[in-house]
């Protein structure tokens, strides 16, 4: 009797033994021998086992097994494989290991030694892996490493869902990519879409030094888009941002902050608080809406600016053809401006102002107030069609009022010195108005007082300049 005939009889006996051990309803779980150089029958205790060796290849349904040798116990429905173990799970995932313990009835595998699980997009390596072939789920509990293109992810525990291409990583999760490093306690990652979802407190540092602290959201490695749906803090050199929700697109450089949004530039001494802020990192521009507030830090005081909308960008982008705007350093802090639209309010200890719209240039430190502007300094009120308020060392230095200029100074309740003209120039000293020059159809009303500060008369003057 030749070897092939003997092997065929052994295989036939193998199937008969398996069929006797299983009910008719379980015949789909039968393990078919495709190839083996040798098959032996042995009795261990009360169980009879089959031993296959030499280029073993098996099949159960759509799943293929290969190994150097294996032992099958039909009574326990248990197969143990050794040496160059390979599981081909319906071509969706391939698993390699040194040894395998496999329950044929529930299609559950325990793999040990240099375990490697691969799909079309990534490779998982670990020392021990549990793999549920019924549901396509792999579990490791003693450390694992996943490589997906240039991204490397390690964790203490992890679960892989082959049908979804999803990994669920737990306990000391570290994701390293050429562009950033991520650390978390728990993370969901899809190897096909390359989307990482944050479900626990997460810390991210990118190659530029930017850091992100969040606990919920996702990052798309392919498109470089991110959304954070819980309170998130971002520190990018001197720029700090925080909000309840943040959306960021690294390709376009657009960042959107929503809900209690805060943006702080420590180098420029500015802080923006708003319901919503849009930031363009490529042009260093921002747009703040929903009750925005800008705070400009000073030595002893701060200037507060609020409006329906605040916008800021570079002067060279606003006036690209202006040859006088030359800055040696492209990051020069004076190469900036900001604008306020509708219901503008400006507050500081020494000066307050309101207007319909506002333009501020960091180059000359000037506020330009348009449409019914009003400026207050101590007990002085100034109005006009347009008002330019110049600051020096972040303090009010001088003021220029164009058309319909009007100044009112309160002496006592109901008593006011007044002056009006076409144009008015005022000068500040220690943050308070010290002198005013009125020119063009100038008129003044001035209350005279005696030595006891009693009002004695009213002086009314008209002149071209006062």
């Amino acid at each position: 009797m030749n070897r092939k005939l003997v092997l065929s009889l052994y295989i036939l006996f193998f199937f008969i033994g398996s069929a006797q051990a299983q009910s008719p309803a379980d015949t789909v779980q039968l393990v078919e021998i495709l190839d083996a150089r040798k098959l032996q029958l042995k009795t261990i205790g009360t169980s009879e086992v089959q031993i296959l060796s030499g280029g073993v290849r098996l099949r159960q349904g759509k799943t293929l097994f290969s190994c150097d040798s294996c032992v099958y116990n039909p009574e326990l429905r248990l197969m143990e494989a050794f040496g160059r173990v390979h599981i081909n799970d319906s071509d969706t995932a391939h698993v390699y290991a040194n040894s395998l313990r496999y329950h044929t009835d529930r299609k559950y595998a325990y793999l040990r030694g240099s375990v490697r699980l691969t799909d079309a997009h990534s490779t998982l390596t670990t020392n021990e892996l549990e793999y549920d072939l019924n549901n396509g789920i792999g579990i490791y509990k003693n450390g694992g490493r996943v490589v997906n293109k240039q991204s490397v992810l390690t964790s203490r525990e992890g679960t892989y869902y082959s049908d979804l291409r999803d990994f669920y990583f737990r306990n000391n999760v570290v994701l390293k990519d050429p562009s950033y490093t991520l650390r978390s306690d728990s993370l969901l990652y899809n190897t096909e879409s390359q989307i990482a979802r944050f479900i626990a407190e997460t810390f991210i540092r990118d190659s530029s030094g930017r850091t992100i602290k969040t606990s919920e959201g996702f990052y798309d490695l392919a498109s470089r888009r991110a959304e954070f749906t819980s309170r998130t803090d971002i520190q990018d050199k001197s720029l700090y941002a925080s909000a309840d929700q943040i959306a960021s697109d690294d390709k376009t450089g657009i960042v959107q902050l929503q809900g209690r949004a805060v943006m702080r530039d420590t180098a420029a001494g500015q802080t923006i608080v708003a319901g919503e802020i849009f930031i363009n990192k490529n042009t260093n521009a921002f747009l703040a809406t929903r009750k925005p507030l800008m705070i400009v830090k000073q030595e002893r005081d701060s200037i507060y600016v609020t409006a329906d909308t605040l916008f800021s960008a570079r002067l060279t982008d606003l006036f690209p053809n202006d040859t006088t705007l030359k800055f040696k350093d492209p990051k020069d802090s004076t190469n900036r401006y900001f604008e306020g639209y509708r219901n503008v309010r400006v507050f500081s200890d020494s000066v307050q102002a309101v207007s319909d719209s506002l333009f501020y240039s960091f180059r000359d430190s000037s506020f330009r107030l348009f449409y019914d502007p009003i400026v207050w300094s101590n007990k002085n009120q100034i109005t006009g069609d347009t008002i330019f308020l110049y600051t020096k060392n972040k303090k009010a230095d001088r003021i220029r009022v164009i058309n319909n200029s009007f100044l009112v100074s309160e002496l006592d309740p109901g008593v006011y010195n007044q002056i009006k003209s076409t144009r008015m120039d005022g000068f500040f000293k220690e943050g308070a108005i010290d002198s005013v020059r009125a020119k063009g159809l100038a008129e003044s009303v001035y209350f005279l007082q005696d030595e006891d500060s009693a009002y004695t008369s009213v002086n009314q003057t008209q002149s071209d300049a006062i």
Side-chain angles (χ1 to χ4, degrees):
M1 186 180 295
N2 60 33
R3 191 180 78 85
K4 288 187 177 180
L5 180 58
V6 172
L7 183 57
S8 299
L9 290 174
Y10 281 155
I11 293 173
L12 178 62
F13 185 78
F14 181 86
F15 275 117
I16 292 172
S18 299
Q20 289 176 347
Q22 297 174 344
S23 64
D26 292 334
T27 55
V28 69
Q29 303 295 340
L30 288 176
V31 177
E32 177 185 358
I33 301 177
L34 301 179
D35 196 9
R37 293 179 184 174
K38 186 177 181 181
L39 186 150
Q40 293 178 301
L41 302 177
K42 284 190 177 182
T43 301
I44 301 177
T46 59
S47 301
E48 189 175 70
V49 300
Q50 292 107 20
I51 303 173
L52 292 87
S53 60
V56 179
R57 294 176 60 243
L58 310 170
R59 178 167 61 200
Q60 184 182 35
K62 295 182 180 180
T63 305
L64 299 175
F65 301 84
S66 65
C67 59
D68 289 342
S69 62
C70 76
V71 178
Y72 179 66
N73 188 324
E75 184 178 345
L76 299 178
R77 299 182 183 180
L78 179 65
M79 181 176 74
E80 294 185 89
F82 308 93
R84 293 185 293 182
V85 176
H86 175 207
I87 301 176
N88 181 349
D89 187 12
S90 305
D91 285 329
T92 59
H94 293 264
V95 188
Y96 304 86
N98 293 336
S99 64
L100 163 70
R101 189 166 180 258
Y102 180 63
H103 295 269
T104 61
D105 54 343
R106 53 194 180 97
K107 301 183 71 175
Y108 203 92
Y110 296 88
L111 299 111
R112 300 290 184 272
S114 302
V115 181
R116 181 164 52 94
L117 185 152
T118 66
D119 59 19
H121 305 281
S122 64
T123 299
L124 161 67
T125 55
T126 183
N127 285 325
E128 299 180 0
L129 180 72
E130 299 177 20
Y131 193 71
D132 183 350
L133 277 76
N134 267 326
N135 300 301
I137 299 175
I139 301 172
Y140 65 85
K141 300 177 181 178
N142 295 302
R145 182 174 185 264
V146 175
V147 178
N148 181 235
K149 296 182 179 179
Q150 293 182 303
S151 301
V152 179
L153 202 155
T154 59
S155 68
R156 182 65 181 170
E157 302 175 35
T159 303
Y160 173 66
Y161 303 88
S162 62
D163 292 342
L164 301 175
R165 300 286 197 269
D166 274 343
F167 272 102
Y168 174 31
F169 300 98
R170 300 176 301 279
N171 195 350
N172 195 24
V173 181
V174 179
L175 173 58
K176 292 187 177 181
D177 185 84
S179 58
Y180 72 94
T181 298
L182 178 151
R183 299 181 184 276
S184 181
D185 182 70
S186 300
L187 180 73
L188 290 175
Y189 181 71
N190 187 279
T191 61
E192 186 173 15
S193 64
Q194 291 185 266
I195 294 178
R197 296 190 179 276
F198 320 120
I199 55 177
E201 189 167 325
T202 302
F203 178 81
I204 306 170
R205 181 185 296 274
D206 68 15
S207 56
S208 67
R210 178 182 60 173
T211 61
I212 301 172
K213 293 181 181 180
T214 188
S215 59
E216 186 179 285
F218 76 86
Y219 182 76
D220 189 331
L221 278 73
S223 65
R224 297 169 60 195
R225 290 191 310 108
E227 287 188 18
F228 309 103
T229 52
S230 66
R231 192 69 187 178
T232 300
D233 299 323
I234 300 176
Q235 186 72 55
D236 190 359
K237 297 182 177 64
S238 64
L239 183 64
Y240 167 82
S242 179
D244 292 337
Q245 297 181 33
I246 298 180
S248 175
D249 190 330
D250 289 342
K251 285 187 176 180
T252 62
I254 302 298
V255 180
Q256 180 183 7
L257 313 178
Q258 284 186 309
R260 299 182 298 161
V262 178
M263 186 183 73
R264 183 181 303 117
D265 189 339
T266 55
Q270 300 170 16
T271 301
I272 303 294
V273 180
E276 188 169 21
I277 303 175
F278 295 88
I279 305 170
N280 188 329
K281 296 190 296 182
N282 295 332
T283 62
N284 291 326
F286 73 80
L287 175 70
T289 62
R290 292 167 53 192
K291 298 182 179 180
L293 169 67
M294 173 183 282
I295 305 172
V296 181
K297 185 180 178 181
Q298 301 182 88
E299 293 180 0
R300 298 181 181 179
D301 185 18
S302 294
I303 297 176
Y304 298 82
V305 181
T306 182
D308 290 354
T309 303
L310 292 175
F311 176 78
S312 179
R314 292 186 292 228
L315 283 168
T316 49
D317 293 333
L318 181 64
F319 305 108
N321 299 321
D322 190 341
T323 57
T324 63
L325 293 175
K326 294 182 180 180
F327 299 92
K328 294 181 179 179
D329 185 354
K331 297 182 180 179
D332 193 326
S333 60
T334 62
N335 183 22
R336 294 202 65 79
Y337 72 93
F338 75 79
E339 298 173 307
Y341 302 97
R342 305 291 181 270
N343 300 311
V344 174
R345 301 288 187 270
V346 181
F347 304 93
S348 72
D349 283 349
S350 57
V351 177
Q352 302 81 42
V354 299
S355 66
D356 176 78
S357 55
L358 160 74
F359 181 92
Y360 178 82
S361 170
F362 286 84
R363 189 187 186 199
D364 58 9
S365 301
S366 64
F367 290 89
R368 293 165 173 81
L369 305 168
F370 304 98
Y371 300 105
D372 300 322
I374 306 173
V375 174
W376 293 274
S377 176
N378 295 331
K379 294 186 177 182
N380 301 297
Q381 174 179 292
I382 303 173
T383 60
D385 290 352
T386 302
I387 297 179
F388 289 6
L389 177 62
Y390 297 90
T391 62
K392 190 174 183 179
N393 298 324
K394 296 183 179 179
K395 292 183 179 180
D397 181 61
R398 57 192 177 94
I399 190 170
R400 176 178 297 173
V401 188
I402 300 173
N403 292 332
N404 297 312
S405 307
F406 189 57
L407 167 65
V408 177
S409 299
E410 183 182 44
L411 301 176
D412 283 311
V415 181
Y416 303 94
N417 286 335
Q418 305 167 51
I419 184 169
K420 72 173 184 177
S421 62
T422 302
R423 173 174 165 172
M424 188 179 297
D425 292 279
F427 302 89
F428 291 79
K429 187 175 182 179
E430 297 299 325
I433 290 181
D434 179 65
S435 60
V436 172
R437 175 184 174 88
K439 186 175 182 180
L441 303 176
E443 296 182 38
S444 72
V445 175
Y446 185 80
F447 287 83
L448 300 177
Q449 296 173 280
D450 59 18
E451 294 179 354
D452 297 326
S453 298
Y455 298 105
T456 59
S457 61
V458 178
N459 187 355
Q460 185 173 2
T461 305
Q462 295 181 344
S463 176
D464 182 63
I466 297 178

